[in-house]
Amino acid sequence: MTETNRIEYKRELSDGLEKEVIAFLNYREGGILYIGIDKDGNTYGLADADGDQLKIKDRLKNNIRPSALGLFDIVSEERDGNAILKIIVASGPEKPYHLKKYGMSEKGCFIRLGSSAEPMPQKMIDELFAKRTRNSISKIKAGRQDLSFSQLKIYYDEAGYSLGNAFAKNLELLTEDGAFNYAGYLLADKNNTSIKVAKYSGKTRTDLIESNEYGHECLVKATKQVIDKITVENRTTTKITAKERHQANLWHPIALREAIINAFVHNDYTNEITPKFEIFTDRIEITSAGGLPEGLSKQEFFEGFSVPRNKELMRIFKDLELVEQLGSGIPRILEHYGKDSFSFSDNFLRMTFMAKETTIEESGQVGGQKGGATGGVTGGVTGGAIDAIDTLTKRQKEVVKLIAANPSITYNEIADVLSINESAVGKHITAIKNKGVLIRQGGTQGYWEIKLPKT
């Protein structure tokens, strides 16, 4: 594959990295930068891909302004037996991006033209800066400043991170003058953000039978609560035919989870409108505020081009493994639902997923499995022993408890119960195996064996 307007190759990590990334940030479609492949598409690989990955993250964090955190993803891949790095860059919402040391000048700003990064003319720099939005959650000062973040710190601890005293600045939860911004407000322990999940008895909104309100707390916690609620509603159904019996959920669980998270991360909160979730007998509707981001077409949206509306939220959701990588959500949904499931207006985006037709419904299996698998082990002898393993994180202990309850449990089943993606499950299981707690017996058709430390 040759270089294109969205693909750039570099044989090795060089001084021109920031220039290429800035060009993609300023480009309306973003782009992908491969390190370890030459201009002709030949794979050379990297001698120290892990070390280069850390260097890249540090350079992009410190040398580009406005901050590009939340707008790029670094993925380690293997090609032709060699380790390479793939840098996925989203189109930035605060153009023009520039080199910190040169500022918004032709020497510091770049734009993608064809397959190369070119200096941006001063006229274009001035025009982009004049259009830069000031109405974003990072620039809006929170209405209250007495904010605490205990819940957010717990989630970071569970993910294996420790938030220091400067976390608010590092996570971009402050305005330029040091006050908490609206992103900080959304992630605080207490706020006035209300999230509704409504359930109706039929196919219309005339008969509301259940109304659940979440929120008024850290947006991450509210997201997890909505995922859990809708997971319970996404019951297993059975369809019996003349030849066999088919079992499936009303909605595909991975696509549904991606849609919920997408609604939270990309919602336009500047008018204090929150996502809405509605469950009907024949469908589920997920509505988020804000139409397509400026400059993004429907075709580009469906192809996975990423223009994060709230890069601060995107970064935190990625840190906490709720989001896998930039631009992956919509393609995952489209694997199971068509483009006609999406409807756009100037101010809203709605996703409508039709329920699968069934003849017999076996209610409560998802919720029962979740409660049984998690609660059945917790507090028991095995659960207590697992809790005593100091080398495991809280999330890793949850994984081991699920395996203790069902040694043949799949990655997908663990992901559904814990409301994380399969990639995150794989990382946790690898870490647990490396600590000597898990052993796989019998290959892919086998089971897990737990090795508890001797007391």
Side-chain angles (χ1 to χ4, degrees):
M1 182 184 293
T2 59
E3 291 183 326
T4 68
N5 62 322
R6 294 198 69 247
I7 296 177
E8 175 75 18
Y9 295 134
K10 281 191 174 296
R11 179 169 173 173
E12 59 189 12
L13 186 57
S14 64
D15 293 339
L17 172 72
E18 291 88 344
K19 170 185 173 181
E20 303 293 346
V21 171
I22 286 171
F24 283 135
L25 287 167
N26 287 327
Y27 189 52
R28 68 186 182 91
E29 299 177 1
I32 300 174
L33 181 63
Y34 291 93
I35 312 292
I37 302 177
D38 70 8
K39 297 292 184 182
D40 298 319
N42 301 310
T43 304
Y44 284 83
L46 300 169
D48 183 15
D50 290 340
D52 286 343
Q53 189 167 357
L54 292 174
K55 291 177 183 176
I56 291 169
K57 183 176 180 180
D58 185 65
R59 286 171 58 175
L60 300 186
K61 173 184 176 182
N62 294 315
N63 298 337
I64 297 177
R65 293 293 181 271
S67 172
L69 290 174
L71 297 174
F72 66 87
D73 219 359
I74 308 171
V75 182
S76 181
E77 293 187 351
E78 185 174 307
R79 183 175 295 188
D80 301 330
N82 296 301
I84 64 170
L85 292 175
K86 176 182 178 181
I87 308 173
I88 306 168
V89 185
S91 177
E94 298 179 279
K95 304 177 181 67
Y97 291 82
H98 56 272
L99 286 169
K100 179 182 177 181
K101 65 178 180 179
Y102 293 123
M104 285 188 291
S105 64
E106 293 186 19
K107 200 172 182 180
C109 296
F110 304 92
I111 187 68
R112 194 76 179 171
L113 291 177
S115 59
S116 63
E118 299 292 339
M120 185 181 291
Q122 191 61 49
K123 182 180 179 182
M124 181 182 291
I125 294 172
D126 295 339
E127 289 174 349
L128 285 174
F129 183 71
K131 290 167 60 178
R132 180 187 292 178
T133 178
R134 293 296 175 187
N135 194 28
S136 67
I137 61 172
S138 65
K139 293 178 172 59
I140 297 174
K141 183 178 178 180
R144 54 182 292 186
Q145 293 293 308
D146 58 333
L147 304 179
S148 62
F149 299 89
S150 299
Q151 294 170 356
L152 185 63
K153 290 179 180 178
I154 290 172
Y155 287 123
Y156 266 85
D157 286 341
E158 290 176 353
Y161 299 99
S162 179
L163 291 181
N165 293 330
F167 78 93
K169 179 180 179 182
N170 293 336
L171 296 180
E172 300 181 81
L173 306 183
L174 302 176
T175 61
E176 293 179 358
D177 59 2
F180 284 117
N181 58 26
Y182 202 76
Y185 177 74
L186 291 171
L187 294 162
D189 294 330
K190 294 182 179 180
N191 55 54
N192 292 324
T193 304
S194 174
I195 312 293
K196 301 277 196 312
V197 179
K199 185 177 180 180
Y200 303 93
S201 64
K203 298 181 181 181
T204 68
R205 294 179 175 85
T206 55
D207 189 6
L208 177 67
I209 59 173
E210 188 177 334
S211 180
N212 297 276
E213 185 174 4
Y214 304 98
H216 303 288
E217 59 195 352
C218 176
L219 195 68
V220 175
K221 184 175 182 179
T223 302
K224 288 176 174 286
Q225 289 175 328
V226 171
I227 289 174
D228 287 345
K229 168 60 180 172
I230 294 182
T231 297
V232 172
E233 294 294 336
N234 189 20
R235 59 192 182 277
T236 303
T237 62
T238 302
K239 185 173 184 178
I240 300 174
T241 65
K243 293 184 178 181
E244 55 190 354
R245 172 190 183 102
H246 299 280
Q247 285 189 315
N249 293 105
L250 288 177
W251 302 284
H252 193 278
I254 293 177
L256 189 58
R257 182 179 179 279
E258 291 289 345
I260 295 168
I261 293 172
N262 189 79
F264 274 100
V265 173
H266 296 291
N267 188 77
D268 183 357
Y269 295 96
T270 58
N271 293 318
E272 300 187 68
I273 300 174
T274 57
K276 181 172 63 173
F277 305 88
E278 297 174 291
I279 303 167
F280 301 85
T281 55
D282 65 334
R283 70 193 187 280
I284 187 168
E285 291 186 0
I286 301 174
T287 307
S288 55
L292 286 171
E294 184 178 353
L296 190 70
S297 68
K298 288 184 182 180
Q299 180 179 347
E300 291 160 351
F301 171 85
F302 288 128
E303 290 177 2
F305 295 156
S306 183
V307 184
R309 193 185 304 276
N310 307 301
K311 66 185 182 73
E312 300 81 13
L313 299 182
M314 173 65 78
R315 177 200 176 177
I316 289 170
F317 275 56
K318 280 182 78 279
D319 285 348
L320 302 181
E321 299 177 338
L322 287 166
V323 173
E324 189 162 284
Q325 68 181 45
L326 288 173
S328 64
I330 300 304
R332 281 174 178 265
I333 295 171
L334 290 175
E335 287 178 4
H336 307 283
Y337 297 94
K339 295 179 181 179
D340 57 352
S341 300
F342 296 79
S343 59
F344 305 88
S345 70
D346 291 340
N347 301 310
F348 294 95
L349 165 62
R350 173 168 290 168
M351 293 170 277
T352 303
F353 302 145
M354 303 305 296
K356 292 183 179 178
E357 294 183 4
T358 60
T359 54
I360 300 176
E361 297 183 352
E362 297 177 354
S363 302
Q365 287 192 13
V366 174
Q369 289 172 356
K370 182 170 183 176
T374 305
V377 180
T378 303
V381 177
T382 304
I386 292 168
D387 282 332
I389 306 176
D390 295 333
T391 58
L392 299 181
T393 66
K394 182 178 179 181
R395 179 49 58 84
Q396 289 166 5
K397 290 175 182 177
E398 291 175 346
V399 172
V400 177
K401 287 177 182 179
L402 291 172
I403 291 172
N406 177 12
S408 300
I409 194 170
T410 65
Y411 280 32
N412 183 43
E413 289 169 339
I414 295 173
D416 284 347
V417 172
L418 298 182
S419 297
I420 60 178
N421 55 55
E422 290 185 54
S423 175
V425 172
K427 291 178 183 178
H428 287 307
I429 286 181
T430 298
I432 297 167
K433 288 194 296 183
N434 290 340
K435 293 173 181 177
V437 177
L438 268 186
I439 297 175
R440 184 69 180 178
Q441 302 287 3
T444 56
Q445 300 301 316
Y447 61 93
W448 293 105
E449 183 177 328
I450 299 173
K451 295 291 185 181
L452 296 176
K454 295 180 179 180
T455 56

